[in-house]
Amino acid sequence: MPNIWHQYSEKVMEHFENPHNVGEMENPDGIGHVGNPMCGDIMELYIRVKDNIITEAKFKTFGCGAAIATSSMVTEMVKGETVEEALKISNQAVAEALGGLPPVKMHCSVLAEEALRSAINDYLNKSKKED
Amino acid sequence: MPNIWHQYSEKVMEHFENPHNVGEMENPDGIGHVGNPMCGDIMELYIRVKDNIITEAKFKTFGCGAAIATSSMVTEMVKGETVEEALKISNQAVAEALGGLPPVKMHCSVLAEEALRSAINDYLNKSKKED
Amino acid sequence: MRKYARKMKRIYLDYAATTPAHPEVVKAMQSYYSNAFGNSSSIHSYGQETREAIEIARKKVAALINARSEEIIFTSGGTEADNLALKGIAYTSKDRGNHIITSSIEHHAVMETCDFLKEQGFRITCVPVDKYGLINPEDVKKAITDKTILISIMHANNEVGTIQPIAEIGKLAREADILFHTDAVQTVGHIPVDVNEIRADLLSTSAHKLYGPKGVGALYVRKGTKITSLLHGGEQENRRRAGTHNTPAIVGFGKAAELAQKELQHESKHLTSLRNKLINGLQKQVEHIYLNGHPTKRLPNNANIRVDFVEGEAMLLSLDLEGIAISTGSACSSSNLKPSHILTAIGLQPDQAHSSLRLSLGRETTEEDIGRVLEVLPQIIARLRAMSPLTKSSMQEKTNA
Amino acid sequence: MRKYARKMKRIYLDYAATTPAHPEVVKAMQSYYSNAFGNSSSIHSYGQETREAIEIARKKVAALINARSEEIIFTSGGTEADNLALKGIAYTSKDRGNHIITSSIEHHAVMETCDFLKEQGFRITCVPVDKYGLINPEDVKKAITDKTILISIMHANNEVGTIQPIAEIGKLAREADILFHTDAVQTVGHIPVDVNEIRADLLSTSAHKLYGPKGVGALYVRKGTKITSLLHGGEQENRRRAGTHNTPAIVGFGKAAELAQKELQHESKHLTSLRNKLINGLQKQVEHIYLNGHPTKRLPNNANIRVDFVEGEAMLLSLDLEGIAISTGSACSSSNLKPSHILTAIGLQPDQAHSSLRLSLGRETTEEDIGRVLEVLPQIIARLRAMSPLTKSSMQEKTNA
Ligand SMILES: Cc1ncc(COP(=O)(O)O)c(C=O)c1O
Ligand SMILES: Cc1ncc(COP(=O)(O)O)c(C=O)c1O
């Protein structure tokens, strides 16, 4: 039997089988909600921010293996980053951190990037209002 | 190994391998010359007639196995027949005497019938002139 | 998890995608590669022996659908058969009319061919289906115009398994003097198919769906029906399909047809029972699971289920890691990311279509296999639902419990 | 005679019609029938393993003609490759022009496809050949108009074996910015073929002509060249050829390509030498025997001879009874009885065309086989010439002596 799912890297498989940071967050500082059912991927990303630093990130994802793995990876990557640094995380960076994605799955990493931006923007909007 | 050439009956094969009455005839009473090179079959049929009875028939044929076998068969069939009886020999009769022919080869039996008619007509024309 | 997957018994539940060639089929083909390898168009004995083998196979395939040998055109598969049927009739009949009636749930081989013909100036009417995937013959009748040259309606659907009322459609086509084609790729060899009973003028079939080899199929063309060739060239198949005969595959198809005819009755009973066990077992264990397709008018081996709140490919991947092979209506790897046109045609929302799985059973499926799926799949669903933003909170509590 | 034929060693000299699959090819295919039988479109592991096997095969086929993997479209054979090339380019380019240039000696797969395209409104120019079957590139150049969209000239002729100056034709096509297709079914695997050297934009090949399996071929399509599908349906072959992959055959093709690449050099030398022995031997023994095709620009394995005054099929039959399989330009069994269009195109009279035999050698041909033909064929010719009304009497005396 050949290496199954071998378009997926070991890292993708790890994050698919044991995704990090799964779940909802109570009173998050920012929520990102992206994707659409037509394309079969929906991501919700929650962040907690303290002193401009993302201290916690969680996600819920309806999507394929790559969608789950990128969600898991992006929530790992943002933790401990400043909001500005987090905004610089690109979909390529997420894909690279996962050891690459098959071409047909790159859209999942785009979604992860969008989910993160959406959550950060939500946080920034909220904090503006509080100002 | 299956029966090779099995579209051909045993009888056709016999007559192809050992055709009867091959050759030219010196001073024949009738000569038939039919066929055309386009279709790949040319038959020459010679008859000798005595007292209205065909005593001898010979042929030369350029053509496939069925053409050779029908030539051989038709020259056998006419021997001893009256001219009138010989004119009644149809291509079906030749084919039947050979135990049948594959459909794509029925044209060869038609050619044999035509060769015979042509030879008899030649004989009849000649004898008319002699009259 | 993955580490163990390599050692465990693999369970194949994707027989609708393709079947393994039956060992007797493989055996029957064996001598036609290097021994009796002649070109069937050759006049010599090597050609003769393959010509004979092909004609024997043709008889067997014809017998399976109650046709005559000379009504069978061997093709390279179901796709070619469908293309030949539609384009062949379209080109032959274009002086009589330019209208073709088909359905919204055809296989891509019919659907995309219709799209091509549309570009060539033909007019296509797609009749809809109901929520079970069933076509209403009345809709077909209403779609007929005086320009209609062909009705092409599949026998049973490859995804949801719904069996269409094609005998009725064949009857009304005949009455209207319009040619009727049916894509029977999913039915031939699995349920009884009789070209005269269903009044088909053209019928497509494919060997690899009935334990025959890949790369060979057939188009049945009723005697007297004129059809323009799709592959032009040599005089093979009565000048209707050129190309050196694929003798081993054709011989294998013949053997598969012969075996199918014998085993069909028993097999369809056996698979229906296993299939029902699977569906009932899943519905008993897991909430928000729904059967796609018709509950009874369906292929014996087809279980297509909608598992709300979870994406299909994630389930497929999780099952594959457990050594279980299935298929999904999701298309997260396809070029356009759109879910199956069949699932949307039966009225599913995009997320519901993306949540659908097809488990298709076959000859080697056992009770144990079904037991294993009933053990593994609910766990996978629970795990993925826990991650899904679509899972209702009430739902989630139950699943986590 | 016949009685013995069944026991004697059979000698196959019809390798141009088809070749036996190499034992290693058969072995390579074995596991893809019932073990690794998955549908390459399936996402699960069964699909994955066949997808990989197909891509490995694609690399090998590409390597044989110095192409890139992604430039190879697998088809069901040479005929489909030719049909796809011509119709695919015609449909794609019809807004740019409607004129196609081809030759008078193409295989039926090209010729009949051109006839079909003519009915669809395309204009076809057939450039002639000289008495050796050679095309003059100047004639091709002269035929070009501003409506020309495609030039299709075969690499080597299947009957008379003449190898065309396709590098020159490819060059002038490129200069005129017109797509160039070559039917290389008879050359790939037998003489070196390099798509870049000959500047082909499209090239057809077929596995069963190079010791691969029947039912699979390939069309090379240069990167960037748009082509309309012939088989519409699923997304296989980058959406350019639908239909479930014939995995075993594709794997077999890959193996055959790999073997051919290794053995090509040696084999072509060996066969050329045996072939010349055959031709010279016959010409030495029998009068009024002539070589058809070009004396040196010809396929290594091809001997096409004209045996005046004797019909080809009678010789073929006689040889077959001796266990020797060959082919003929005669068509005494074909539906229209017309001799080969190729032989008439090189200027043969109908009776000369009907008198032509093709003996094509291959891997298993031995010196002894050639010796046997040189012993048997002259006797057969003598016997049949004695029966022929075309044999000149002077000629006949010599033959009978
Ligand atoms: C209903 C239906 N039609 C057509 C096809 C195409 O057949 P093939 O894969 O043999 O080209 C398939 C299977 O792929 C099918 O399920
Ligand atoms: C030159 C040429 N082109 C095309 C073909 C057709 O190939 P296939 O038999 O694989 O369809 C052949 C052989 O039959 C051939 O010799």
Side-chain angles (χ1 to χ4, degrees):
Chain A
M1 186 155 107
N3 186 2
I4 57 166
W5 291 92
H6 92 154
Q7 331 123 278
Y8 282 159
S9 67
E10 280 290 310
K11 204 96 198 159
V12 170
M13 292 309 298
E14 261 173 52
H15 280 266
F16 169 66
E17 292 182 63
N18 297 298
H20 306 187
N21 315 311
V22 176
E24 278 170 62
M25 190 183 283
E26 302 230 332
N27 306 318
D29 296 315
I31 304 182
H33 188 106
V34 296
N36 75 63
M38 195 59 183
C39 296
D41 290 304
I42 298 167
M43 278 187 202
E44 269 174 25
L45 201 148
Y46 315 86
I47 51 172
R48 197 175 309 290
V49 185
K50 204 168 177 180
D51 300 334
N52 199 41
I53 296 216
I54 297 172
T55 56
E56 207 189 335
K58 291 206 136 196
F59 79 91
K60 292 202 107 180
T61 288
F62 168 87
C64 65
I68 290 168
T70 52
S71 306
S72 167
M73 181 52 84
V74 81
T75 51
E76 279 295 283
M77 287 169 79
V78 292
K79 273 198 276 188
E81 301 289 332
T82 64
V83 168
E84 291 72 28
E85 283 163 339
L87 273 172
K88 287 189 202 142
I89 294 173
S90 68
N91 75 304
Q92 277 97 340
V94 179
E96 267 166 40
L98 284 167
L101 280 174
V104 288
K105 295 297 188 185
M106 282 306 286
H107 69 277
C108 296
S109 67
V110 173
L111 211 63
E113 181 193 313
E114 285 173 5
L116 176 59
R117 267 159 214 268
S118 165
I120 295 176
N121 284 335
D122 182 47
Y123 158 74
L124 292 173
N125 281 338
K126 276 183 193 156
S127 43
K128 242 184 244 155
K129 278 180 210 146
E130 279 162 26
D131 284 352
Chain B
M1 185 154 108
N3 186 2
I4 57 167
W5 290 92
H6 94 154
Q7 330 121 278
Y8 282 159
S9 67
E10 280 290 311
K11 205 94 198 162
V12 169
M13 291 311 297
E14 261 172 52
H15 280 266
F16 170 67
E17 291 182 62
N18 297 297
H20 305 187
N21 314 313
V22 177
E24 278 170 62
M25 190 183 282
E26 303 231 332
N27 307 318
D29 296 314
I31 305 182
H33 189 104
V34 296
N36 74 62
M38 196 60 185
C39 296
D41 288 306
I42 296 167
M43 279 186 200
E44 268 175 26
L45 202 147
Y46 314 87
I47 50 172
R48 196 174 310 290
V49 184
K50 205 167 174 182
D51 301 334
N52 200 39
I53 299 218
I54 297 171
T55 55
E56 207 188 336
K58 292 206 139 196
F59 78 92
K60 291 202 109 182
T61 289
F62 169 87
C64 66
I68 290 168
T70 51
S71 307
S72 168
M73 180 51 85
V74 81
T75 50
E76 278 294 284
M77 286 169 79
V78 292
K79 274 198 279 187
E81 300 290 332
T82 63
V83 168
E84 291 71 29
E85 283 164 339
L87 274 173
K88 287 189 204 142
I89 294 173
S90 68
N91 74 305
Q92 277 97 341
V94 178
E96 266 166 39
L98 283 167
L101 281 175
V104 288
K105 295 297 188 184
M106 282 306 285
H107 70 276
C108 296
S109 66
V110 172
L111 211 62
E113 181 193 313
E114 284 175 4
L116 175 59
R117 268 162 213 268
S118 166
I120 295 178
N121 284 337
D122 182 46
Y123 158 73
L124 292 175
N125 281 339
K126 276 184 194 155
S127 43
K128 242 187 243 156
K129 277 182 212 143
E130 278 161 26
D131 285 350
Chain C
M1 213 168 172
R2 221 158 348 126
K3 306 292 146 36
Y4 304 140
R6 297 169 198 217
K7 284 177 207 149
M8 68 183 59
K9 189 206 162 192
R10 285 164 98 190
I11 298 174
Y12 184 76
L13 291 174
D14 201 11
Y15 285 89
T18 192
T19 60
H22 193 291
E24 283 192 49
V25 165
V26 179
K27 209 173 119 202
M29 295 166 71
Q30 213 118 55
S31 58
Y32 293 94
Y33 291 109
S34 314
N35 296 99
F37 66 88
N39 187 321
S40 64
S41 301
S42 299
I43 315 180
H44 50 64
S45 60
Y46 289 82
Q48 181 70 42
E49 64 193 5
T50 51
R51 213 147 48 236
E52 281 172 15
I54 288 166
E55 293 317 311
I56 292 170
R58 196 186 305 279
K59 277 209 188 84
K60 292 178 182 172
V61 172
L64 183 59
I65 56 172
N66 194 26
R68 312 182 206 194
S69 285
E70 67 268 28
E71 295 175 320
I72 300 296
I73 301 178
F74 283 119
T75 67
S76 68
T79 297
E80 191 190 321
D82 284 341
N83 275 259
L84 172 56
L86 275 82
K87 294 177 194 168
I89 294 303
Y91 284 119
T92 300
S93 313
K94 67 165 177 272
D95 294 336
R96 289 216 340 260
N98 71 339
H99 181 231
I100 295 169
I101 299 171
T102 184
S103 85
S104 56
I105 51 144
E106 297 296 315
H107 187 268
H108 286 100
V110 166
M111 200 173 71
E112 300 262 327
T113 302
C114 284
D115 287 349
F116 171 78
L117 287 172
K118 208 188 282 177
E119 286 168 28
Q120 307 297 312
F122 290 85
R123 212 164 58 74
I124 312 291
T125 301
C126 259
V127 300
V129 293
D130 68 11
K131 64 174 176 173
Y132 298 119
L134 264 181
I135 288 157
N136 184 344
E138 276 306 309
D139 289 340
V140 176
K141 197 167 184 175
K142 274 187 240 151
I144 294 175
T145 74
D146 58 353
K147 292 266 182 269
T148 309
I149 50 174
L150 180 67
I151 295 170
S152 179
I153 302 286
M154 76 197 314
H155 191 183
N157 184 267
N158 46 303
E159 251 180 83
V160 296
T162 304
I163 299 171
Q164 304 298 338
I166 54 165
E168 289 175 55
I169 296 168
K171 186 154 172 276
L172 69 87
R174 182 72 54 90
E175 281 163 6
D177 202 20
I178 294 167
L179 293 175
F180 174 47
H181 166 249
T182 187
D183 175 342
V185 167
Q186 287 290 336
T187 52
V188 170
H190 300 292
I191 61 173
V193 176
D194 178 328
V195 290
N196 294 316
E197 208 176 288
I198 61 181
R199 293 185 185 74
D201 299 297
L202 304 111
L203 180 146
S204 304
T205 163
S206 182
H208 75 92
K209 305 282 189 184
L210 53 116
Y211 306 94
K214 292 176 176 57
V216 64
L219 181 67
Y220 159 82
V221 182
R222 187 174 292 279
K223 214 180 159 175
T225 310
K226 286 209 188 88
I227 188 159
T228 302
S229 289
L230 182 64
L231 298 189
H232 293 89
E235 302 203 341
Q236 292 91 350
E237 298 296 293
N238 264 321
R239 303 188 57 90
R240 292 183 300 180
R241 199 279 186 183
T244 299
H245 277 125
N246 186 352
T247 321
I250 289 171
V251 167
F253 191 5
K255 176 52 89 177
E258 182 189 331
L259 293 171
Q261 205 165 11
K262 272 192 243 160
E263 297 172 22
L264 188 150
Q265 205 79 38
H266 163 75
E267 200 170 292
S268 77
K269 243 191 233 160
H270 176 63
L271 292 183
T272 303
S273 134
L274 281 180
R275 193 262 327 265
N276 290 344
K277 222 169 248 177
L278 175 65
I279 296 170
N280 297 337
L282 283 173
Q283 289 192 317
K284 206 173 285 172
Q285 287 188 63
V286 187
E287 271 191 287
H288 296 277
I289 271 197
Y290 307 93
L291 184 68
N292 291 322
H294 198 277
T296 56
K297 290 176 189 164
R298 73 185 298 130
L299 290 170
N301 75 330
N302 177 295
N304 192 306
I305 53 165
R306 186 182 112 207
V307 183
D308 277 353
F309 322 132
V310 200
E311 198 271 342
E313 201 176 307
M315 289 187 275
L316 192 162
L317 172 50
S318 302
L319 282 168
D320 198 39
L321 291 170
E322 296 285 338
I324 300 167
I326 60 135
S327 129
T328 166
S330 180
C332 202
S333 300
S334 80
S335 42
N336 63 13
L337 300 180
K338 281 201 199 128
S340 148
H341 68 281
I342 294 164
L343 296 175
T344 51
I346 64 171
L348 295 198
Q349 295 304 307
D351 58 326
Q352 294 175 327
H354 279 293
S355 295
S356 293
L357 297 182
R358 180 187 68 186
L359 296 89
S360 49
L361 287 56
R363 269 191 202 154
E364 285 169 42
T365 310
T366 62
E367 294 266 356
E368 291 71 45
D369 294 345
I370 300 302
R372 182 100 207 293
V373 174
L374 289 175
E375 187 191 314
V376 171
L377 184 52
Q379 293 171 25
I380 289 171
I381 294 168
R383 190 179 93 85
L384 292 170
R385 277 186 175 167
M387 280 187 226
S388 169
L390 301 179
T391 312
K392 310 278 171 299
S393 37
S394 65
M395 177 61 217
Q396 199 180 336
E397 274 159 32
K398 278 183 202 150
T399 320
N400 287 346
Chain D
M1 213 169 174
R2 221 159 350 128
K3 307 291 147 38
Y4 305 140
R6 297 170 198 216
K7 284 178 207 148
M8 68 182 60
K9 191 206 161 192
R10 284 163 97 191
I11 298 175
Y12 184 76
L13 291 174
D14 200 11
Y15 284 89
T18 192
T19 60
H22 193 291
E24 281 193 49
V25 166
V26 179
K27 209 173 120 202
M29 295 166 72
Q30 214 117 55
S31 58
Y32 294 93
Y33 291 109
S34 314
N35 296 99
F37 66 88
N39 187 321
S40 64
S41 302
S42 299
I43 316 180
H44 50 64
S45 62
Y46 290 81
Q48 182 71 41
E49 63 194 6
T50 51
R51 214 148 48 236
E52 281 173 17
I54 288 166
E55 294 316 312
I56 292 169
R58 196 187 304 279
K59 276 209 188 82
K60 291 177 181 172
V61 172
L64 183 59
I65 56 171
N66 194 27
R68 313 182 205 194
S69 285
E70 66 269 28
E71 295 175 320
I72 299 296
I73 302 177
F74 283 119
T75 68
S76 67
T79 297
E80 190 190 321
D82 284 341
N83 275 260
L84 173 55
L86 275 82
K87 293 178 196 167
I89 294 302
Y91 283 119
T92 300
S93 311
K94 66 165 177 272
D95 294 337
R96 290 217 338 262
N98 71 339
H99 181 231
I100 295 170
I101 299 171
T102 184
S103 85
S104 56
I105 50 145
E106 297 297 315
H107 187 269
H108 285 101
V110 166
M111 199 173 73
E112 301 261 328
T113 302
C114 284
D115 286 349
F116 171 77
L117 287 172
K118 209 188 283 178
E119 285 168 29
Q120 307 297 312
F122 289 86
R123 212 164 59 73
I124 312 290
T125 301
C126 259
V127 298
V129 292
D130 68 11
K131 64 174 177 174
Y132 297 119
L134 266 181
I135 288 156
N136 184 344
E138 277 305 309
D139 289 340
V140 176
K141 198 167 182 175
K142 274 186 242 153
I144 294 174
T145 74
D146 58 352
K147 292 266 182 268
T148 309
I149 49 174
L150 179 68
I151 295 171
S152 178
I153 302 287
M154 77 195 315
H155 191 183
N157 183 268
N158 46 302
E159 248 179 86
V160 296
T162 304
I163 299 171
Q164 304 298 339
I166 54 165
E168 289 175 55
I169 297 169
K171 188 156 170 274
L172 69 87
R174 183 71 57 89
E175 280 162 8
D177 202 20
I178 294 167
L179 293 175
F180 174 47
H181 166 250
T182 187
D183 175 343
V185 167
Q186 287 290 336
T187 52
V188 170
H190 300 292
I191 60 174
V193 176
D194 178 329
V195 290
N196 294 314
E197 209 176 287
I198 61 181
R199 293 185 186 75
D201 299 298
L202 304 112
L203 180 146
S204 304
T205 162
S206 181
H208 75 92
K209 305 281 188 185
L210 53 116
Y211 307 94
K214 292 176 177 58
V216 64
L219 182 66
Y220 159 83
V221 181
R222 186 174 292 280
K223 217 181 156 176
T225 309
K226 286 210 189 87
I227 188 159
T228 302
S229 290
L230 182 64
L231 298 189
H232 293 89
E235 303 203 341
Q236 293 90 352
E237 298 296 293
N238 264 320
R239 302 188 56 89
R240 292 182 299 180
R241 200 280 186 183
T244 299
H245 278 124
N246 186 352
T247 321
I250 289 171
V251 167
F253 191 5
K255 176 52 88 176
E258 183 189 331
L259 294 171
Q261 205 166 10
K262 274 193 242 160
E263 297 172 22
L264 188 149
Q265 205 79 39
H266 163 75
E267 200 171 292
S268 77
K269 243 191 235 161
H270 176 61
L271 293 182
T272 303
S273 135
L274 281 180
R275 193 263 324 269
N276 291 343
K277 221 168 250 177
L278 174 64
I279 295 171
N280 297 337
L282 283 174
Q283 288 192 318
K284 205 174 287 170
Q285 287 189 62
V286 187
E287 272 191 286
H288 296 275
I289 272 198
Y290 307 93
L291 184 70
N292 291 322
H294 198 279
T296 55
K297 290 175 188 163
R298 74 185 297 130
L299 288 169
N301 75 330
N302 177 294
N304 191 306
I305 52 164
R306 188 183 112 206
V307 183
D308 277 353
F309 322 131
V310 199
E311 198 270 342
E313 201 176 306
M315 290 187 274
L316 191 162
L317 173 49
S318 302
L319 281 168
D320 198 39
L321 291 170
E322 297 284 336
I324 299 168
I326 60 136
S327 129
T328 166
S330 181
C332 202
S333 301
S334 80
S335 43
N336 63 13
L337 301 181
K338 280 201 200 130
S340 148
H341 68 282
I342 294 164
L343 296 176
T344 50
I346 63 171
L348 295 198
Q349 295 303 309
D351 59 325
Q352 295 174 326
H354 279 293
S355 295
S356 293
L357 297 182
R358 179 186 69 187
L359 296 89
S360 49
L361 288 55
R363 271 192 200 153
E364 285 169 42
T365 309
T366 62
E367 295 266 356
E368 291 70 49
D369 294 346
I370 300 303
R372 181 99 209 291
V373 174
L374 290 176
E375 186 192 314
V376 170
L377 184 52
Q379 293 172 24
I380 289 172
I381 294 169
R383 189 178 95 84
L384 292 170
R385 277 187 176 166
M387 278 187 226
S388 170
L390 301 179
T391 311
K392 310 279 171 299
S393 34
S394 65
M395 176 63 216
Q396 200 179 337
E397 275 158 31
K398 278 182 203 152
T399 320
N400 287 345

